[in-house]
Amino acid sequence: MDKLLNTINTPQDLRGMDRKDLSHLATELREFIIASVSKTGGHLASNLGTVELTIALHFIFDTPLDKLVWDVGHQTYAHKILTGRRNQMDTLRKFGGLAGFPSREESKYDCFGTAHSSTSISAALGMAVSAKLRKEESRVVAIIGDGAMSAGMAFEALNNAGTMDANILVVLNDNDMSISENVGALNNYLARLLSGRFYSAARKAGEKVFKKIPPVIELARRAEEHVKGMVMPGTLFEEFGFNYIGPIDGHDIDALCATLGNLKKLEGPQFLHVVTRKGKGYQPAEDDAILYHGVGQFDPPAGIKKQSSQNKTYTQVFGEWLCDTAKTDERLIGITPAMREGSGLVGFSQQYPERYFDVGIAEQHAVTFAAGLATEGFKPVLAIYSTFLQRAYDQLIHDVCIQNLDVTFALDRSGLVGADGPTHHGAFDLAYLRCIPNAVVMTPSDARQCNEMLRLAYDYIGPAVVRYPRGNASDTDVTTTSSLAMGQSEVVREGDSGVAVLVFGPLLHTAIAVAEKLNATVVDMRFVKPLDVAMVTLISSNHTSIVTIEDGVAMGGAGSAVCEALGGKNSRVLRIGLPDKFVSHGDTTSLLKECRLDEQGIFEQINDFVEI
């Protein structure tokens, strides 16, 4: 007998199935995801948790006419498989292959590109209002996780949506609580009842009658809230203007289909609360959803084997520095916006729990929270990804830098991050940071420099950023000075070709290899701000050509700072960095080659420039 999954090439095929076969399809789909991700790597636990929900959504709603907006999008592998991309899953997150997140360029079923959290309700509301203005019957569903609901933007959207008459359904995928069998069955029954047309019609009829007697309608409203509130945590969402249903078991496909089918028929803002389990169906992922959140290749029967690397990652260097510094300074406070593991704060959170704060997916709050701590004499260190700090740019400027507050930013995932793609590449930080008054910006090129710069940033009284890439930190130190000084660069290779290469950050070792071929001078610049203007001026006076290299966008980045420092001087300057486009996903080696930031690409660019 052929597998059911092999017969599903579009959601239309899925909707032609008998509902009683959907549970078996879910089993096959879950097995396929485990086998596929074990070969490509990717997000596993989150995808295993949403298999039944994805099937039910496509079974009930007429996609792509009806639109599904996935928040973050790291749980959409089942969605990709059911929408015609099953045979391409072996290319997932690879260069030229499927993206790890929804992409409008990839499929008509991906109606909104995502990868950062808490955007789904806003986008879905825009689509729902568009349908209303066009007098279309299409429905829009936003699927958002309980973690993403911690961000202010989600509540801004809820507040706005509840005042409109648009047909929007928000599905809260709650995977941080469990439902016992009895409570789950009761809530599933209530959800079907309360989402049905009979309850909805009765409610509207009652409102019509009681409107003539205001005290009675208020009493009825309170009575209804009281009865519903005894068995379900929906009062908050009701206050936003949504009709709240749930919580229901997100792995009970019959309950999901029945409830979604009822909700599809209702008008106005609807809210469905489903409870799922991350890693569902694969015991190792159920037992350790954090370990199995983002995985590399692994053997499903054996599970993930934790491997130790000889070289420390930049993240590990930061984590060790943080713990070492906390031993000697009780003012140090460690902050993360829901990225404890990714940002290297596990050890700190265990050793200094009273000084560790995970504020949830709330980057804006994280920055201003740090600012508040700084006003009271503490020394906050905010560990945050480059692309996540983009979400708190106003707070960075307004709440920290204008007031010149003493906050240290450990900026992880700078430059090209690989398979997560354009939504996560730290391409813009040097450009968007160096233009802010009072900010100090440092770019280490190896493990020792990272440690030293973190110390410098922490000792500096004011906003200071140390930005470093994902992956291993080189342990090959090419510097000659024993310690770093603020704003001071160093010549690490002397050449006599008339070409000087000024490098900012982790491409230093690649630049040295290129300089060996060209007999060029190499300067490890280290600081984007304050820029070592004295060194730039000196190099300009005794070299005919200057090349700047950085792993951020060339437009407005560190190379631009060098050009500004030179002003009208005669030195010719070539700025090498990321191009003026959004770089795709794939392995870092392929991406560096595509951007001509590998050894061969840098050599060719410099060679062509010198020969002109």
Side-chain angles (χ1 to χ4, degrees), residues 9 64 241 298 431 479 556 579:
N9 295 309
F298 69 99
T479 62

Side-chain angles (χ1 to χ4, degrees), residues 274-523:
V274 304
V275 177
T276 61
R277 183 175 180 83
K278 280 188 176 181
K280 174 72 174 177
Y282 181 54
Q283 197 61 48
E286 289 190 29
D287 294 340
D288 193 344
I290 292 175
L291 177 64
Y292 283 85
H293 172 70
V295 302
Q297 295 180 344
F298 69 99
D299 178 24
I304 295 174
K305 303 299 181 183
K306 293 183 180 180
Q307 298 178 342
S308 58
S309 173
Q310 289 185 341
N311 290 335
K312 292 179 182 177
T313 64
Y314 281 97
T315 305
Q316 288 172 325
V317 171
F318 163 72
E320 292 176 3
W321 168 85
L322 191 68
C323 290
D324 290 343
T325 306
K327 289 177 186 176
T328 60
D329 191 344
E330 294 183 352
R331 298 173 300 165
L332 189 150
I333 304 290
I335 305 169
T336 177
M339 293 303 298
R340 183 184 69 160
E341 288 76 22
S343 293
L345 275 77
V346 173
F348 180 82
S349 69
Q350 295 168 344
Q351 294 179 44
Y352 304 98
E354 73 286 354
R355 289 192 270 160
Y356 165 75
F357 296 93
D358 182 344
V359 301
I361 303 176
E363 296 88 355
Q364 293 170 302
H365 164 61
V367 172
T368 305
F369 173 57
L373 285 163
T375 64
E376 295 299 307
F378 283 94
K379 299 273 289 182
V381 178
L382 175 56
I384 187 168
Y385 288 6
S386 170
T387 52
F388 294 175
L389 185 58
Q390 291 169 186
R391 310 187 81 185
Y393 193 57
D394 179 63
Q395 287 70 27
L396 175 64
I397 295 172
H398 184 276
D399 299 338
V400 175
C401 292
I402 285 179
Q403 304 183 85
N404 201 25
L405 293 175
D406 191 5
V407 180
T408 300
F409 295 86
L411 201 63
D412 205 333
R413 273 35 173 204
S414 65
L416 297 174
V417 297
D420 282 340
T423 55
H424 284 65
H425 292 319
F428 308 106
D429 49 41
L430 293 182
Y432 74 66
L433 287 169
R434 76 174 192 86
C435 62
I436 305 175
N438 292 331
V440 166
V441 186
M442 311 183 199
T443 58
S445 60
D446 56 42
R448 184 183 77 85
Q449 276 194 18
C450 186
N451 193 289
E452 283 280 296
M453 287 181 178
L454 287 165
R455 177 188 59 78
L456 276 176
Y458 187 76
D459 291 343
Y460 177 74
I461 308 301
V465 180
V466 180
R467 55 92 73 178
Y468 45 87
R470 183 179 189 174
N472 290 337
S474 171
D475 57 1
T476 305
D477 187 358
V478 299
T479 62
T480 57
T481 53
S482 58
S483 62
L484 302 182
M486 182 66 74
Q488 188 176 83
S489 61
E490 181 184 3
V491 176
V492 295
R493 185 188 189 280
E494 297 278 4
D496 57 14
S497 64
V499 177
V501 182
L502 280 53
V503 190
F504 297 85
L507 291 175
L508 175 64
H509 297 84
T510 303
I512 291 174
V514 172
E516 294 287 343
K517 300 175 183 177
L518 296 170
N519 193 19
T521 297
V522 178
V523 184

Side-chain angles (χ1 to χ4, degrees), residues 57-277:
L57 286 166
H58 279 293
F59 186 77
I60 295 299
F61 289 93
D62 186 17
T63 54
L65 178 64
D66 293 333
K67 295 174 173 58
L68 305 182
V69 183
W70 300 89
D71 209 280
V72 182
H74 64 337
Q75 76 284 50
T76 53
Y77 295 178
H79 165 78
K80 287 175 182 281
I81 293 165
L82 295 175
T83 54
R85 288 167 276 183
R86 181 181 71 249
N87 294 331
Q88 297 171 270
M89 286 298 289
D90 59 344
T91 71
L92 184 73
R93 293 160 49 91
K94 295 180 180 178
F95 186 67
L98 292 180
F101 301 96
S103 169
R104 283 169 54 84
E105 295 179 356
E106 190 176 285
S107 171
K108 63 183 179 181
Y109 294 95
D110 295 358
C111 62
F112 197 76
T114 55
H116 289 187
S117 82
S118 316
T119 62
S120 60
I121 304 175
S122 298
L125 180 59
M127 296 173 189
V129 169
S130 298
K132 182 181 177 181
L133 292 173
R134 293 192 181 114
K135 296 181 171 53
E136 295 174 350
E137 294 298 320
S138 62
R139 299 290 169 140
V140 186
V141 184
I143 305 99
I144 184 169
D146 55 307
M149 283 296 292
S150 69
M153 185 174 177
F155 283 92
E156 291 172 11
L158 284 173
N159 185 54
N160 191 208
T163 64
M164 297 186 181
D165 195 28
N167 294 326
I168 179 174
L169 168 60
V170 175
V171 177
L172 172 60
N173 175 32
D174 182 350
N175 50 39
D176 199 31
M177 69 180 268
S178 59
I179 299 179
S180 65
E181 191 170 334
N182 292 333
V183 176
L186 173 62
N187 277 308
N188 290 346
Y189 171 74
L190 286 169
R192 295 188 205 195
L193 178 66
L194 296 174
S195 65
R197 279 185 166 174
F198 174 79
Y199 172 79
S200 180
R203 185 184 190 187
K204 288 180 179 178
E207 287 176 355
K208 202 171 186 180
V209 172
F210 291 142
K211 270 182 182 177
K212 299 175 182 178
I213 318 173
V216 176
I217 191 172
E218 177 62 18
L219 177 63
R221 185 183 68 81
R222 290 182 179 276
E224 180 192 43
E225 285 183 359
H226 179 66
V227 172
K228 291 176 74 175
M230 286 192 298
V231 292
M232 58 193 68
T235 306
L236 171 66
F237 302 108
E238 294 275 8
E239 290 295 331
F240 274 117
F242 282 77
N243 176 41
Y244 173 90
I245 306 297
I248 67 171
D249 184 353
H251 301 298
D252 184 337
I253 206 158
D254 288 329
L256 285 169
C257 288
T259 305
L260 288 169
N262 285 335
L263 287 170
K264 183 180 178 182
K265 300 168 188 173
L266 300 183
E267 300 294 317
Q270 308 295 323
F271 193 102
L272 175 62
H273 183 174
V274 304
V275 177
T276 61
R277 183 175 180 83

